[in-house]
Amino acid sequence: MNVELKTASVSDAEELWRMQVEGFASLLEKYQDFDMNPACETVEKTIMRLERVCGTYYFILVDGEKVGAICIREFDDGWKKLGPLFVLPAWRGKGIAQRAIRLAEDIHGVDRWMLDTIAQEPGNCHLYEKLGYRQTGTPRVVNERMTLVDYVKE
């Protein structure tokens, strides 16, 4: 299985947005986080991410097929923010997210990363910890179902 990242452009906005809605729909249903879940975002928000000068949105490809996406935002101080990141449901559990993160680190550097994820999703937390990220800061309660935790890799 060959995993690669392909830079997305504004012309890909509609496709990327539709994939994002599918990729985050199950978490939206589970956590009811309508104010912040990427499945609730508009295509205009996707366009904004694609037009951002200090960031890159990549499709995640497996053997040439688009199976997810990862967004990287870079800051002037050298820090990078990872997210959103998703893999479509049919492709989960195959190590694709792990490979995509490693590829992003190959492109953007292996240190000075930050992200947040859902504390109630142990698979997500395990993925980031396995890749050298450590939990930091104070968890933020979003609602009675969901808490966000921050991770860094220095």
Side-chain angles (χ1 to χ4, degrees):
M1 174 171 56
N2 180 43
V3 178
E4 59 184 316
L5 300 181
K6 178 185 174 201
T7 304
S9 67
V10 173
S11 65
D12 298 312
E14 179 98 9
E15 178 183 21
L16 186 57
W17 173 72
R18 289 186 190 286
M19 289 175 67
Q20 177 177 291
V21 169
E22 180 182 351
F24 284 97
S26 62
L27 292 175
L28 177 62
E29 183 177 335
K30 184 175 182 179
Y31 296 108
Q32 306 287 300
D33 56 328
F34 298 103
D35 292 336
M36 64 188 321
N37 188 296
C40 293
E41 292 178 356
T42 64
V43 70
E44 289 78 21
K45 176 92 180 225
T46 301
I47 291 169
M48 186 249 347
R49 281 194 187 107
L50 289 163
E51 291 178 334
R52 196 171 16 204
V53 174
C54 60
T56 308
Y57 220 146
Y58 299 97
F59 284 109
I60 302 169
L61 283 69
V62 173
D63 299 328
E65 183 176 345
K66 295 172 184 168
V67 303
I70 184 172
C71 186
I72 309 300
R73 186 169 178 194
E74 296 187 69
F75 299 94
D76 290 338
D77 63 2
W79 281 89
K80 285 89 56 180
K81 182 162 186 167
L82 190 158
L85 161 66
F86 66 89
V87 175
L88 295 174
W91 291 90
R92 293 181 185 153
K94 301 175 190 289
I96 296 167
Q98 177 178 328
R99 183 71 184 120
I101 293 168
R102 285 196 171 129
L103 288 169
E105 291 176 345
D106 288 346
I107 296 166
H108 296 275
V110 296
D111 59 357
R112 302 193 77 169
W113 286 89
M114 62 180 131
L115 61 91
D116 59 34
T117 194
I118 301 168
Q120 290 82 358
E121 292 293 317
N124 289 1
C125 296
H126 176 72
L127 166 67
Y128 297 124
E129 291 166 8
K130 179 170 49 172
L131 291 170
Y133 292 75
R134 64 174 176 79
Q135 194 171 329
T136 186
T138 303
R140 298 177 314 281
V141 175
V142 173
N143 61 36
E144 65 278 357
R145 297 175 184 91
M146 184 173 101
T147 302
L148 291 178
V149 289
D150 295 315
Y151 279 87
V152 296
K153 183 174 185 179
E154 298 180 275

